[in-house]
Amino acid sequence: MTKTTDLCDAHPELVRVCDPIFRSYGARVVFDGPIATLKIHEDNALVRKALEEPGAGRVLVVDGGGSMRRALVGDQLAALGAKNGWSGVVVYGCIRDSADIATIDLGVVALGTHPRKSDKRGVGVVNEPVTFAGVTFVPGQHVWVDHDGVVVTERKVEVSG
């Protein structure tokens, strides 16, 4: 697995580095994949819909507006994402069931945890660019997550030995 530090060293002109605002919660701490996006607010119905689809190694990037008032991903959605082949989820907002998510083979990073569930209205924007943490996430581009941070590149790049 390519480290974010190696990407930054080898391709400084290609990487966009997120502000260090995320905490890791999933059993898979290191993950990467093509980006799929959602823009929602305190409503995770579209998260469920996305994670029900085959993930094919993608990373779901959820722009929850940074809300710290409700959780957008819990253990059931994390398990669904793992079962359907998603590599991970980046949540600009909160998750819940963090102890259970820590046992699920899925990458999950978020701002924090909150015990309150989200609304279920199905309102939001699917697969459009979203911007948070100083970076714009574009569907189809590549996101890399590890112990040192979250990095985005326009395409999957390699780091030679």
Side-chain angles (χ1 to χ4, degrees):
M1 179 58 83
T2 302
K3 296 183 345 184
T4 59
T5 53
D6 291 344
L7 279 168
C8 289
D9 293 351
H11 301 289
E13 74 288 356
L14 298 180
V15 299
R16 301 187 310 271
V17 179
C18 288
D19 297 337
I21 60 175
F22 297 103
R23 292 184 54 201
S24 180
Y25 294 97
R28 188 183 296 179
V29 177
V30 177
F31 61 97
D32 72 281
I35 296 169
T37 65
L38 294 175
K39 185 175 181 80
I40 57 178
H41 183 71
E42 297 180 4
D43 178 349
N44 75 350
L46 292 177
V47 176
R48 173 175 291 282
K49 185 174 180 185
L51 295 176
E52 287 174 340
E53 299 173 4
R58 291 178 295 162
V59 174
L60 183 61
V61 176
V62 180
D63 180 355
S67 174
M68 302 298 282
R69 300 182 331 158
R70 295 183 183 267
L72 297 174
V73 174
D75 59 345
Q76 293 178 11
L77 292 186
L80 185 63
K83 178 184 127 203
N84 289 329
W86 289 83
S87 178
V89 183
V90 174
V91 181
Y92 184 51
C94 290
I95 64 145
R96 67 188 211 159
D97 304 312
S98 60
D100 294 320
I101 288 175
T103 69
I104 297 171
D105 185 24
L106 182 75
V108 178
V109 296
L111 298 180
T113 61
H114 198 291
R116 182 172 287 138
K117 68 180 181 176
S118 75
D119 293 330
K120 311 282 190 256
R121 297 180 316 271
V123 176
V125 178
V126 178
N127 274 334
E128 294 291 330
V130 296
T131 302
F132 56 84
V135 168
T136 298
F137 296 82
V138 178
Q141 292 189 353
H142 208 87
V143 63
W144 314 78
V145 181
D146 66 13
H147 300 87
D148 293 313
V150 178
V151 172
V152 176
T153 56
E154 284 189 24
R155 66 191 190 303
K156 185 168 185 169
V157 295
E158 300 297 325
V159 175
S160 55

